[in-house]
Amino acid sequence: MLTNRIAALFSGFLVIGLLSTTSMAETEPLVPEKDQGSTAREIVGKLEMLHYNKIKVGDEMSEDLWDEYIDALDPTRSYFLSSDINEFREWKTTMDDQLRAGEVKAGFEIYNRFRLRMSDRLDNILSQLEKGLPAFDFERDESLELDREESQWPSSISAADDLWRKRLKSSVLNLRLTGKTDEEIRDLLERRYKGQQKRLEQQNSNDVFELYMNSLTRLYDPHSNYLSPRSLENFNMSMSLSLEGIGAVLQGDEEYTKVARLVAGGPADRTGKIKPNDKIVGVGQDQKGEMVDVVGWRLDDVVDLIRGKAGTFVRLETIPTGGDGTHKTILIKRSKVKLEDQAAKKAVFEFSDGKKSYKIGVINLPTFYIDFDAYRRRDPNYKSTTRDVARLLSELKEEKVDGIILDLRNNGGGSLQEATMLTDLFIDQGPVVQIRHANEQISRHNRSRSRAMYRGPLMVLINRLSASASEIFAGAIQDYNRGLVVGNQSFGKGTVQTMAPLKEGQLKITQSKFYRVSGDSTQHAGVKPDIPMPQLINAESVGESAYDTALPWDRIHAVPHAKYFNLKTLIPNLITKHNKRTASDPDFIFLRDQFQFESERADRKHLSLNEVMREQERENVNQRLLSMENRRRSAKGLEPYKDFEAYEESESEEVATIGGPVEIKLEKDPILNEAGYIMADFIGLADKTSKAPPQVANF
């Protein structure tokens, strides 16, 4: 598999992955700037000296760098010829020597050949389009290979021509299926490929150098990156919390821009219409502005187009993951993702275990935040996760809740300080997390309170997008047996990065690794729930384990820590009750069917280029989606949709705005609803067993 490219929030910095094609006709080959060689030597030195892994750049890594760089340039093996690859082999074991000598010749030579091949390919396609849309035979039974990561490079120009004939035919067919006329398709594709030509011509030596250096840093781990001055500016902007946009983490995926993650509480998140792995193919300004095709664009250029002033509108044309390739348009109102919009919020609901009803408090925590500026000014009212949750706990205490669910789903982390301090509210004095540094020294973060603020029944709800600080908190709660962890296996990011200055740009480098008090790393494996819920996100494509070069899971010595509930005696009974309750639950049946369906779609290896077959495939997809939804509606006593068009209309276009924390609702959240019933069962069972510690009953 290809290494996933790290992207950034428009909140984030961007690593330029291949993806922007172009054409340079008679442009001179790019050559290194004078300081890039010394910067490369400096990067090698800092990686060897400071990185957690302490790997030397030698012949073996040179071979890996060769593979990684070529894959970064041509992941679909569509531009280079096999003869090019054979020619490049002369550098396979010498790239390390070049870098140590402050030489980046190999990186530029390979890139310039790639640039030439891409330019020729774009010229060829545009010359065809200038004569009119090619007369493709859409009745022919042939297909396009979707995953070419292990395929051979074309052996000749004619073999490459046939591959690109299929790629162009697929693009035309995709657009035909959206209802566009041949003239509209020709105009759109001309604009697309001319745009790629222009962006290729705009590539400069800094772009090449950054791509080459990041092929090296990714060999150490996916979170170590070289940031050029331009990327550093984007990164600093993301850290300022003043960035205005839609709130999404994007990454390059071949010629597409893909949604990697949504910022909790951000405009995109609020639409409910965008999911991780959705592809963005068009961006339109305002409610009626021209939709600009962004297939093949540089990642940072797509971000610049989406980014905009708060209060303005942007339209995204997407290809939803797991769908039939049909495009979807989503209208979003840009806004700043403010600290208060990501603040903890609460709600109280009532659940029964079949014998008794319980009041369950829910605290939703989108991120681990702290207003560092106010904190440094010693503002007594500075905002932080721990302070807000403490206030909510006091309010829930006044409402006499019987238990609390802390919802960390989609919480990508944040302040380590806040993650450890938050445990102060739930666990008596003791260690929370261990950190092993590159020098192998281990430091521990301990909670400081002698007595927890909340001592009642607790559940932590996580999913695949719960990462970093969320995993530290959830892992501590689990290791102490302080409460149940329910949901899905978390992301698995258990590493810490720091910024190292360079002569040109900066190096973000992994220097430490998190470990739980049990000694288990949160890296790669994440936190596994005590009670699993249906998956909504494919763990093979999202999460630390999806990165080829992710640091491995391991363990160190455990540290002494208390145990609260004897959960081993309770969990089997809770799982039995959960499984029995959800076996016939319409929402859970739908969630499982939906995940199965999307997994099947993601596993496709080939795409038919026969129009009748594609239309039938789309009809089958639509009917299956409609059938799944109508089964759910019928089981819930709701009127089924008459047809797929009626179903689509129900998924009407919404405008996302920012206006304070989102209200917690159960009716659209079957996972949270079921978590409430599990909590009711938990409280009921804990009350019956003498193995529950006395303090559990003392709120």
Side-chain angles (χ1 to χ4, degrees):
M1 290 177 61
L2 269 176
T3 302
N4 291 354
R5 289 167 180 73
I6 311 302
L9 296 178
F10 320 147
S11 317
F13 73 92
L14 309 170
V15 174
I16 301 169
L18 126 81
L19 295 37
S20 39
T21 40
T22 47
S23 158
M24 68 309 156
E26 300 179 2
T27 303
E28 290 294 322
L30 295 175
V31 295
E33 294 187 356
K34 68 172 186 176
D35 291 331
Q36 288 174 344
S38 59
T39 300
R41 189 168 56 239
E42 189 179 7
I43 289 171
V44 168
K46 292 202 171 183
L47 284 170
E48 291 182 334
M49 181 174 62
L50 301 177
H51 194 276
Y52 183 86
N53 261 352
K54 292 288 192 294
I55 300 175
K56 294 294 183 183
V57 177
D59 285 351
E60 183 177 347
M61 181 168 282
S62 179
E63 294 185 16
D64 291 338
L65 174 58
W66 186 89
D67 289 331
E68 181 69 24
Y69 185 52
I70 289 174
D71 279 348
L73 286 169
D74 191 6
T76 60
R77 304 194 173 194
S78 304
Y79 293 99
F80 288 128
L81 301 178
S82 57
S83 57
D84 296 325
I85 300 302
N86 290 332
E87 185 179 334
F88 299 155
R89 293 188 191 281
E90 68 171 289
W91 291 309
K92 194 155 190 175
T93 59
T94 61
M95 283 180 160
D96 59 318
D97 300 319
Q98 285 190 25
L99 292 175
R100 286 189 181 283
E103 177 62 68
V104 290
K105 176 183 177 181
F108 277 78
E109 291 283 348
I110 292 172
Y111 178 81
N112 282 323
R113 180 68 57 81
F114 164 75
R115 194 169 180 236
L116 176 64
R117 294 297 186 201
M118 181 175 279
S119 176
D120 289 345
R121 184 52 55 192
L122 291 169
D123 286 343
N124 180 274
I125 291 174
L126 283 167
S127 67
Q128 293 182 57
L129 292 173
E130 285 173 3
K131 300 171 185 175
L133 201 64
F136 293 112
D137 180 4
F138 291 111
E139 295 182 0
R140 182 177 176 182
D141 188 13
E142 63 179 347
S143 62
L144 177 69
E145 189 177 15
L146 291 174
D147 184 357
R148 288 185 48 81
E149 291 176 5
E150 302 301 326
S151 300
Q152 296 298 315
W153 277 275
S155 58
S156 63
I157 294 293
S158 61
D161 285 344
D162 189 59
L163 171 61
W164 278 91
R165 176 189 64 80
K166 290 182 178 181
R167 291 189 65 163
L168 182 58
K169 182 179 179 181
S170 178
S171 296
V172 172
L173 181 54
N174 287 340
L175 294 168
R176 280 170 68 105
L177 292 172
T178 67
K180 287 183 167 57
T181 66
D182 284 355
E183 185 177 352
E184 289 172 328
I185 293 171
R186 177 176 172 272
D187 289 345
L188 188 150
L189 291 178
E190 268 199 307
R191 290 197 304 272
R192 175 182 296 179
Y193 292 119
K194 284 180 179 178
Q196 291 180 9
Q197 274 190 333
K198 182 178 179 180
R199 284 182 291 281
L200 190 58
E201 292 166 358
Q202 291 171 343
Q203 292 282 311
N204 58 45
S205 62
N206 289 326
D207 296 326
V208 181
F209 181 71
E210 183 172 21
L211 177 60
Y212 189 34
M213 289 301 97
N214 277 309
S215 296
L216 173 65
T217 61
R218 281 196 300 270
L219 297 178
Y220 280 80
D221 82 297
H223 304 292
S224 292
N225 304 99
Y226 166 67
L227 293 105
S228 68
R230 178 180 179 181
S231 294
L232 183 60
E233 181 181 352
N234 276 317
F235 179 76
N236 290 335
M237 191 183 301
S238 75
M239 296 295 103
S240 70
L241 290 179
S242 64
L243 193 59
E244 297 172 344
I246 66 168
V249 179
L250 303 180
Q251 70 182 45
D253 183 23
E254 297 178 6
E255 62 181 346
Y256 292 101
T257 295
K258 185 171 72 173
V259 177
R261 184 169 62 82
L262 301 176
V263 180
D269 183 36
R270 285 173 174 252
T271 66
K273 307 296 183 187
I274 303 177
K275 296 180 181 179
N277 289 331
D278 285 358
K279 295 173 181 175
I280 298 173
V281 297
V283 180
Q285 304 302 322
D286 304 316
Q287 299 187 48
K288 296 183 179 180
E290 178 188 0
M291 185 67 72
V292 177
D293 183 88
V294 296
V295 176
W297 279 39
R298 286 170 55 116
L299 181 58
D300 47 358
D301 287 339
V302 177
V303 169
D304 286 343
L305 200 60
I306 296 173
R307 182 185 290 160
K309 193 172 182 179
T312 61
F313 291 90
V314 64
R315 297 187 337 279
L316 300 185
E317 184 178 350
T318 68
I319 302 176
T321 180
D324 64 346
T326 301
H327 295 197
K328 182 177 181 180
T329 300
I330 302 155
L331 180 65
I332 303 175
K333 189 175 183 179
R334 299 181 179 105
S335 179
K336 290 184 180 179
V337 182
K338 301 174 184 176
L339 195 60
E340 54 265 32
D341 297 324
Q342 295 192 295
K345 50 190 174 291
K346 70 173 177 67
V348 177
F349 304 101
E350 196 164 297
F351 294 92
S352 172
D353 65 353
K355 297 179 180 178
K356 183 179 177 181
S357 290
Y358 300 96
K359 290 178 70 176
I360 307 299
V362 177
I363 297 177
N364 179 271
L365 189 60
T367 186
F368 286 87
Y369 55 87
I370 182 172
D371 187 341
F372 279 111
D373 288 339
Y375 176 74
R376 293 189 188 102
R377 294 195 308 268
R378 304 197 177 191
D379 182 341
N381 298 313
Y382 75 90
K383 199 166 187 61
S384 78
T385 300
T386 305
R387 290 164 67 95
D388 286 349
V389 172
R391 173 178 51 79
L392 296 178
L393 288 174
S394 296
E395 293 173 5
L396 290 171
K397 180 177 180 180
E398 293 296 321
E399 296 180 64
K400 299 188 180 338
V401 298
D402 298 295
I404 288 176
I405 298 173
L406 193 61
D407 189 351
L408 298 183
R409 289 175 298 169
N410 304 327
N411 184 321
S415 168
L416 171 62
Q417 172 184 319
E418 287 301 312
T420 57
M421 288 182 65
L422 188 65
T423 59
D424 279 13
L425 306 179
F426 302 98
I427 296 174
D428 294 336
Q429 195 166 14
V432 175
V433 64
Q434 305 184 77
I435 302 177
R436 183 162 69 179
H437 304 281
N439 60 8
E440 298 190 0
Q441 290 186 345
I442 296 174
S443 59
R444 297 184 179 93
H445 286 249
N446 297 321
R447 62 167 312 284
S448 55
R449 291 175 183 262
S450 59
R451 183 176 173 82
M453 178 180 180
Y454 172 72
R455 308 173 68 76
L458 176 68
M459 176 191 292
V460 180
L461 196 55
I462 60 174
N463 67 4
R464 188 60 171 171
L465 297 179
S466 303
S468 195
S470 293
E471 296 173 293
I472 291 170
F473 178 83
I477 296 299
Q478 190 175 62
D479 289 339
Y480 276 84
N481 281 3
R482 175 59 187 86
L484 293 170
V485 176
V486 175
N488 309 119
Q489 183 179 3
S490 62
F491 192 92
K493 185 183 183 298
T495 57
V496 187
Q497 288 74 42
T498 58
M499 300 298 289
L502 300 167
K503 186 174 182 180
E504 289 288 331
Q506 288 196 20
L507 185 66
K508 184 163 73 76
I509 189 167
T510 297
Q511 286 194 298
S512 308
K513 201 171 178 181
F514 290 130
Y515 293 83
R516 295 161 56 163
V517 294
S518 64
D520 291 347
S521 173
T522 57
Q523 170 63 17
H524 207 288
V527 176
K528 296 178 181 177
D530 301 311
I531 301 176
M533 291 282 198
Q535 275 186 282
L536 302 178
I537 298 169
N538 192 326
E540 292 185 3
S541 58
V542 177
E544 191 76 5
S545 59
Y547 296 117
D548 290 344
T549 56
L551 298 187
W553 177 90
D554 63 349
R555 68 188 329 271
I556 59 176
H557 290 297
V559 291
H561 56 282
K563 296 283 186 177
Y564 289 77
F565 288 99
N566 189 346
L567 294 177
K568 287 185 178 180
T569 64
L570 301 177
I571 289 174
N573 204 341
L574 292 172
I575 291 176
T576 298
K577 288 175 176 289
H578 161 66
N579 289 339
K580 183 177 180 181
R581 187 167 45 243
T582 60
S584 57
D585 182 275
D587 289 320
F588 272 73
I589 292 172
F590 176 81
L591 291 176
R592 295 186 183 106
D593 287 348
Q594 187 180 47
F595 181 76
Q596 176 65 28
F597 172 66
E598 291 184 358
S599 296
E600 291 171 7
R601 299 286 297 171
D603 288 340
R604 292 176 301 162
K605 302 298 182 185
H606 292 84
L607 183 68
S608 174
L609 298 179
N610 179 291
E611 188 168 12
V612 173
M613 291 180 67
R614 283 287 295 280
E615 286 177 339
Q616 184 60 55
E617 180 182 359
R618 180 171 64 173
E619 179 63 23
N620 292 341
V621 167
N622 292 346
Q623 287 304 311
R624 185 165 172 183
L625 291 172
L626 177 64
S627 176
M628 289 191 299
E629 176 60 25
N630 278 343
R631 280 199 302 271
R632 173 168 67 169
R633 293 180 66 82
S634 296
K636 298 180 76 169
L638 301 172
E639 184 179 351
Y641 292 116
K642 179 182 178 181
D643 50 34
F644 188 75
E645 287 70 27
Y647 170 55
E648 276 193 311
E649 287 177 11
S650 73
E651 298 283 298
S652 58
E653 191 177 74
E654 296 180 14
V655 178
T657 60
I658 293 293
V662 179
E663 185 181 352
I664 301 172
K665 296 181 179 180
L666 289 180
E667 58 266 28
K668 293 187 177 181
D669 193 344
I671 298 294
L672 180 58
N673 190 55
E674 172 59 18
Y677 284 108
I678 294 173
M679 176 58 94
D681 290 339
F682 177 41
I683 297 170
L685 290 172
D687 283 344
K688 294 176 183 177
T689 176
S690 59
K691 295 180 180 180
Q695 69 264 32
V696 168
N698 299 331
F699 184 68

